[in-house]
Short mmCIF file of all heavy atoms in Angstrom, two decimals:
data_model
loop_
_atom_site.label_atom_id
_atom_site.label_comp_id
_atom_site.label_asym_id
_atom_site.label_seq_id
_atom_site.Cartn_x
_atom_site.Cartn_y
_atom_site.Cartn_z
N LYS I 856 31.77 139.10 45.17
CA LYS I 856 32.84 138.70 44.23
C LYS I 856 33.56 137.46 44.76
O LYS I 856 33.29 136.99 45.87
CB LYS I 856 33.83 139.84 44.06
CG LYS I 856 33.21 141.14 43.58
CD LYS I 856 34.28 142.17 43.30
CE LYS I 856 33.70 143.56 43.36
NZ LYS I 856 34.71 144.58 43.19
N HIS I 857 34.52 137.02 44.00
CA HIS I 857 35.25 135.79 44.32
C HIS I 857 35.92 135.86 45.69
O HIS I 857 35.91 134.91 46.46
CB HIS I 857 36.29 135.54 43.23
CG HIS I 857 37.01 134.25 43.39
ND1 HIS I 857 36.39 133.03 43.21
CD2 HIS I 857 38.29 133.97 43.75
CE1 HIS I 857 37.26 132.07 43.43
NE2 HIS I 857 38.42 132.62 43.77
N TYR I 858 36.52 137.02 46.01
CA TYR I 858 37.26 137.15 47.27
C TYR I 858 36.45 137.84 48.37
O TYR I 858 37.01 138.52 49.21
CB TYR I 858 38.59 137.87 47.04
CG TYR I 858 39.56 137.05 46.23
CD1 TYR I 858 39.84 137.35 44.91
CD2 TYR I 858 40.16 135.92 46.79
CE1 TYR I 858 40.70 136.57 44.16
CE2 TYR I 858 41.02 135.13 46.05
CZ TYR I 858 41.29 135.45 44.74
OH TYR I 858 42.14 134.67 44.02
N GLU I 859 35.13 137.65 48.33
CA GLU I 859 34.29 138.25 49.36
C GLU I 859 34.77 137.84 50.76
O GLU I 859 35.12 136.68 50.97
CB GLU I 859 32.84 137.78 49.18
CG GLU I 859 31.90 138.30 50.24
CD GLU I 859 30.47 137.80 50.00
OE1 GLU I 859 29.77 138.38 49.16
OE2 GLU I 859 30.09 136.81 50.66
N GLU I 860 34.78 138.81 51.67
CA GLU I 860 35.31 138.54 53.01
C GLU I 860 34.67 139.47 54.04
O GLU I 860 34.49 140.66 53.77
CB GLU I 860 36.82 138.80 52.95
CG GLU I 860 37.57 138.62 54.23
CD GLU I 860 39.04 138.97 54.02
OE1 GLU I 860 39.36 140.16 53.82
OE2 GLU I 860 39.87 138.05 54.04
N PHE I 861 34.35 138.92 55.21
CA PHE I 861 33.88 139.74 56.32
C PHE I 861 34.90 139.62 57.44
O PHE I 861 35.11 138.52 57.96
CB PHE I 861 32.51 139.27 56.82
CG PHE I 861 31.41 139.56 55.84
CD1 PHE I 861 31.08 138.64 54.85
CD2 PHE I 861 30.73 140.76 55.88
CE1 PHE I 861 30.08 138.92 53.94
CE2 PHE I 861 29.73 141.05 54.97
CZ PHE I 861 29.41 140.13 53.99
N ASN I 862 35.54 140.72 57.77
CA ASN I 862 36.56 140.73 58.80
C ASN I 862 35.93 141.36 60.04
O ASN I 862 35.76 142.57 60.12
CB ASN I 862 37.74 141.57 58.28
CG ASN I 862 39.01 141.27 59.01
OD1 ASN I 862 38.98 140.69 60.10
ND2 ASN I 862 40.13 141.68 58.43
N ARG I 863 35.55 140.50 61.01
CA ARG I 863 34.80 140.99 62.17
C ARG I 863 35.72 141.04 63.38
O ARG I 863 36.14 140.01 63.88
CB ARG I 863 33.61 140.06 62.45
CG ARG I 863 32.65 139.92 61.28
CD ARG I 863 31.48 138.99 61.60
NE ARG I 863 30.54 138.88 60.50
CZ ARG I 863 30.63 138.01 59.50
NH1 ARG I 863 31.64 137.14 59.46
NH2 ARG I 863 29.73 137.99 58.54
N ARG I 864 36.00 142.24 63.85
CA ARG I 864 36.93 142.44 64.98
C ARG I 864 36.56 143.72 65.72
O ARG I 864 35.54 144.33 65.41
CB ARG I 864 38.37 142.61 64.45
CG ARG I 864 38.92 141.39 63.77
CD ARG I 864 40.13 141.74 62.94
NE ARG I 864 40.49 140.63 62.08
CZ ARG I 864 41.51 139.81 62.29
NH1 ARG I 864 42.30 140.00 63.32
NH2 ARG I 864 41.76 138.82 61.48
N THR I 865 37.43 144.16 66.65
CA THR I 865 37.24 145.51 67.19
C THR I 865 37.92 146.48 66.22
O THR I 865 38.75 146.07 65.38
CB THR I 865 37.90 145.67 68.57
OG1 THR I 865 39.30 145.51 68.40
CG2 THR I 865 37.36 144.67 69.58
N LEU I 866 37.62 147.77 66.37
CA LEU I 866 38.25 148.76 65.48
C LEU I 866 39.78 148.69 65.59
O LEU I 866 40.49 148.74 64.59
CB LEU I 866 37.78 150.17 65.86
CG LEU I 866 36.59 150.75 65.11
CD1 LEU I 866 36.29 152.15 65.62
CD2 LEU I 866 36.83 150.76 63.60
N GLY I 867 40.26 148.59 66.85
CA GLY I 867 41.72 148.54 67.07
C GLY I 867 42.33 147.31 66.40
O GLY I 867 43.41 147.39 65.80
N GLU I 868 41.65 146.17 66.51
CA GLU I 868 42.17 144.94 65.89
C GLU I 868 42.13 145.04 64.37
O GLU I 868 43.02 144.53 63.69
CB GLU I 868 41.34 143.73 66.35
CG GLU I 868 41.61 143.34 67.79
CD GLU I 868 40.55 142.39 68.35
OE1 GLU I 868 39.55 142.10 67.65
OE2 GLU I 868 40.71 141.97 69.50
N LEU I 869 41.10 145.68 63.86
CA LEU I 869 41.03 145.85 62.40
C LEU I 869 42.21 146.68 61.91
O LEU I 869 42.84 146.37 60.89
CB LEU I 869 39.73 146.56 61.99
CG LEU I 869 38.52 145.73 61.62
CD1 LEU I 869 37.43 146.62 61.06
CD2 LEU I 869 38.84 144.62 60.61
N LEU I 870 42.50 147.76 62.66
CA LEU I 870 43.63 148.62 62.28
C LEU I 870 44.92 147.79 62.28
O LEU I 870 45.69 147.82 61.32
CB LEU I 870 43.74 149.81 63.24
CG LEU I 870 44.98 150.67 63.06
CD1 LEU I 870 45.05 151.28 61.67
CD2 LEU I 870 45.02 151.79 64.12
N ALA I 871 45.12 147.03 63.37
CA ALA I 871 46.35 146.22 63.46
C ALA I 871 46.40 145.23 62.29
O ALA I 871 47.46 145.05 61.66
CB ALA I 871 46.38 145.47 64.79
N TYR I 872 45.25 144.64 61.96
CA TYR I 872 45.21 143.65 60.87
C TYR I 872 45.64 144.30 59.54
O TYR I 872 46.46 143.76 58.80
CB TYR I 872 43.80 143.07 60.76
CG TYR I 872 43.66 142.05 59.65
CD1 TYR I 872 43.95 140.71 59.87
CD2 TYR I 872 43.29 142.45 58.36
CE1 TYR I 872 43.85 139.79 58.85
CE2 TYR I 872 43.20 141.53 57.33
CZ TYR I 872 43.48 140.20 57.58
OH TYR I 872 43.40 139.30 56.56
N TYR I 873 45.06 145.48 59.27
CA TYR I 873 45.36 146.09 57.96
C TYR I 873 46.70 146.83 57.96
O TYR I 873 47.18 147.22 56.90
CB TYR I 873 44.20 146.99 57.50
CG TYR I 873 43.03 146.13 57.08
CD1 TYR I 873 41.87 146.09 57.82
CD2 TYR I 873 43.13 145.30 55.96
CE1 TYR I 873 40.82 145.26 57.46
CE2 TYR I 873 42.09 144.45 55.60
CZ TYR I 873 40.93 144.44 56.36
OH TYR I 873 39.91 143.61 56.00
N GLN I 874 47.33 147.00 59.15
CA GLN I 874 48.72 147.47 59.13
C GLN I 874 49.61 146.33 58.62
O GLN I 874 50.63 146.56 58.00
CB GLN I 874 49.19 147.87 60.54
CG GLN I 874 48.50 149.11 61.10
CD GLN I 874 48.84 150.39 60.37
OE1 GLN I 874 49.59 150.38 59.41
NE2 GLN I 874 48.27 151.49 60.81
N GLU I 875 49.18 145.12 58.88
CA GLU I 875 49.99 143.96 58.45
C GLU I 875 49.60 143.46 57.07
O GLU I 875 50.41 142.86 56.38
CB GLU I 875 49.82 142.81 59.45
CG GLU I 875 50.69 143.01 60.66
CD GLU I 875 50.61 141.83 61.60
OE1 GLU I 875 50.33 140.71 61.12
OE2 GLU I 875 50.81 142.05 62.80
N HIS I 876 48.33 143.63 56.71
CA HIS I 876 47.86 143.12 55.42
C HIS I 876 47.43 144.29 54.56
O HIS I 876 46.56 145.07 54.96
CB HIS I 876 46.67 142.17 55.61
CG HIS I 876 46.98 141.01 56.50
ND1 HIS I 876 46.90 141.08 57.88
CD2 HIS I 876 47.39 139.76 56.21
CE1 HIS I 876 47.24 139.91 58.40
NE2 HIS I 876 47.55 139.09 57.41
N GLU I 877 48.02 144.39 53.39
CA GLU I 877 47.69 145.48 52.46
C GLU I 877 46.19 145.42 52.11
O GLU I 877 45.71 144.40 51.61
CB GLU I 877 48.54 145.25 51.19
CG GLU I 877 48.29 146.21 50.07
CD GLU I 877 49.06 147.51 50.25
OE1 GLU I 877 50.06 147.52 50.98
OE2 GLU I 877 48.61 148.50 49.67
N PRO I 878 45.43 146.51 52.38
CA PRO I 878 44.01 146.46 52.00
C PRO I 878 43.86 146.45 50.48
O PRO I 878 44.46 147.27 49.79
CB PRO I 878 43.43 147.77 52.58
CG PRO I 878 44.46 148.29 53.53
CD PRO I 878 45.78 147.77 53.05
N ARG I 879 43.11 145.51 49.97
CA ARG I 879 42.88 145.40 48.52
C ARG I 879 41.40 145.23 48.25
O ARG I 879 40.71 144.55 49.00
CB ARG I 879 43.59 144.17 47.96
CG ARG I 879 45.08 144.30 47.90
CD ARG I 879 45.65 143.05 47.19
NE ARG I 879 46.98 142.76 47.68
CZ ARG I 879 48.07 143.40 47.29
NH1 ARG I 879 47.98 144.36 46.40
NH2 ARG I 879 49.25 143.09 47.78
N GLY I 880 40.94 145.81 47.16
CA GLY I 880 39.54 145.62 46.76
C GLY I 880 38.65 146.72 47.35
O GLY I 880 39.12 147.74 47.84
N GLU I 881 37.37 146.46 47.29
CA GLU I 881 36.40 147.47 47.73
C GLU I 881 35.91 147.13 49.14
O GLU I 881 35.68 145.97 49.45
CB GLU I 881 35.22 147.50 46.77
CG GLU I 881 35.66 147.83 45.37
CD GLU I 881 34.50 148.29 44.53
OE1 GLU I 881 33.85 147.43 43.92
OE2 GLU I 881 34.23 149.49 44.50
N PHE I 882 35.75 148.18 49.95
CA PHE I 882 35.41 147.98 51.36
C PHE I 882 34.18 148.77 51.80
O PHE I 882 34.02 149.92 51.43
CB PHE I 882 36.55 148.46 52.26
CG PHE I 882 37.74 147.55 52.30
CD1 PHE I 882 38.77 147.70 51.38
CD2 PHE I 882 37.83 146.55 53.25
CE1 PHE I 882 39.87 146.87 51.41
CE2 PHE I 882 38.94 145.72 53.29
CZ PHE I 882 39.96 145.87 52.37
N VAL I 883 33.38 148.12 52.64
CA VAL I 883 32.40 148.84 53.45
C VAL I 883 32.82 148.61 54.90
O VAL I 883 33.16 147.48 55.27
CB VAL I 883 30.97 148.29 53.25
CG1 VAL I 883 29.98 149.07 54.11
CG2 VAL I 883 30.56 148.35 51.79
N LEU I 884 32.82 149.67 55.68
CA LEU I 884 33.13 149.54 57.11
C LEU I 884 31.84 149.72 57.91
O LEU I 884 31.12 150.69 57.71
CB LEU I 884 34.10 150.64 57.55
CG LEU I 884 35.57 150.46 57.20
CD1 LEU I 884 36.35 151.70 57.60
CD2 LEU I 884 36.15 149.24 57.89
N ILE I 885 31.56 148.75 58.77
CA ILE I 885 30.40 148.84 59.64
C ILE I 885 30.92 148.92 61.08
O ILE I 885 31.77 148.09 61.46
CB ILE I 885 29.49 147.59 59.52
CG1 ILE I 885 29.25 147.22 58.05
CG2 ILE I 885 28.20 147.78 60.28
CD1 ILE I 885 28.13 147.90 57.38
N VAL I 886 30.47 149.88 61.83
CA VAL I 886 30.96 150.07 63.20
C VAL I 886 29.77 150.12 64.14
O VAL I 886 28.77 150.81 63.85
CB VAL I 886 31.77 151.39 63.31
CG1 VAL I 886 32.34 151.55 64.72
CG2 VAL I 886 32.89 151.44 62.27
N SER I 887 29.89 149.41 65.27
CA SER I 887 28.75 149.42 66.21
C SER I 887 28.58 150.82 66.80
O SER I 887 29.53 151.60 66.90
CB SER I 887 28.98 148.39 67.32
OG SER I 887 30.15 148.72 68.02
N GLY I 888 27.34 151.12 67.19
CA GLY I 888 27.03 152.44 67.74
C GLY I 888 27.54 152.60 69.16
O GLY I 888 28.04 151.66 69.78
N PHE I 889 27.41 153.80 69.67
CA PHE I 889 27.85 154.12 71.03
C PHE I 889 26.97 153.40 72.04
O PHE I 889 25.74 153.45 71.96
CB PHE I 889 27.75 155.64 71.23
CG PHE I 889 28.14 156.10 72.60
CD1 PHE I 889 29.48 156.13 72.98
CD2 PHE I 889 27.18 156.51 73.51
CE1 PHE I 889 29.84 156.57 74.25
CE2 PHE I 889 27.53 156.96 74.77
CZ PHE I 889 28.87 156.99 75.14
N ASP I 890 27.62 152.71 72.97
CA ASP I 890 26.89 152.01 74.02
C ASP I 890 27.34 152.64 75.33
O ASP I 890 28.42 152.33 75.82
CB ASP I 890 27.24 150.51 73.94
CG ASP I 890 26.59 149.71 75.06
OD1 ASP I 890 26.07 150.33 76.01
OD2 ASP I 890 26.61 148.48 74.98
#
Side-chain angles (χ1 to χ4, degrees):
K856 303 186 202 176
H857 185 69
Y858 291 107
E859 178 180 279
E860 178 182 69
F861 290 89
N862 200 343
R863 302 180 179 88
R864 295 163 191 256
T865 64
L866 266 181
E868 287 165 355
L869 267 188
L870 172 60
Y872 179 88
Y873 288 111
Q874 293 293 1
E875 280 185 27
H876 303 85
E877 176 83 22
R879 288 185 209 281
E881 301 198 271
F882 285 89
V883 180
L884 283 175
I885 313 274
V886 183
S887 60
F889 179 74
D890 177 348

